[in-house]
Amino acid sequence: MIVLTGCVGADTTHTNTDQVLDQRAVFRAITKHSFTLSAASVHVIANKAVSMCVEGQQAPIHIDVPISVANQDALGAGELRPPEMPVVPSYFALIELKQRCR
């Protein structure tokens, strides 16, 4: 499970008149990790969050999304997670492996 929450940006935390809650501190005790998103690192954080969520002991991941970031386009690019590999090798992969071993 990946939990997304919204927050005010670091630049407006001290000037904001609404209530401000440190959500990372709240979620720290019940999640595997807590991230704060930035437009430049959306793809990196998404990759890490999915990886951490499904690898090892499964536990929720928290991503805090500042309002300023929620209104921006993602700036990062690239596919970081390797493509899924088949659990059982295909017939052709087995033939190729057999030929290599000769």
Side-chain angles (χ1 to χ4, degrees):
M1 172 182 6
I2 296 177
V3 179
L4 299 174
T5 57
C7 67
V8 295
D11 54 338
T12 60
T13 300
H14 302 294
T15 59
N16 197 320
T17 58
D18 296 334
Q19 294 178 347
V20 176
L21 174 67
D22 184 357
Q23 295 180 104
R24 291 188 68 188
V26 171
F27 280 94
R28 190 173 293 127
I30 57 172
T31 59
K32 196 176 205 178
H33 193 77
S34 182
F35 295 98
T36 298
L37 202 63
S38 71
S41 64
V42 169
H43 67 300
V44 174
I45 290 175
N47 180 63
K48 285 184 180 181
V50 170
S51 295
M52 291 176 78
C53 199
V54 299
E55 294 172 359
Q57 183 177 357
Q58 294 183 355
I61 301 295
H62 170 241
I63 302 175
D64 210 9
V65 183
I67 294 169
S68 59
V69 174
N71 293 329
Q72 293 179 12
D73 291 333
L75 303 174
E79 181 179 317
L80 299 176
R81 292 185 58 76
E84 288 187 26
M85 299 297 293
V87 177
V88 178
S90 70
Y91 171 78
F92 298 107
L94 290 173
I95 297 294
E96 182 181 334
L97 181 61
K98 185 176 179 181
Q99 290 174 353
R100 285 186 190 175
C101 293
R102 289 185 182 176

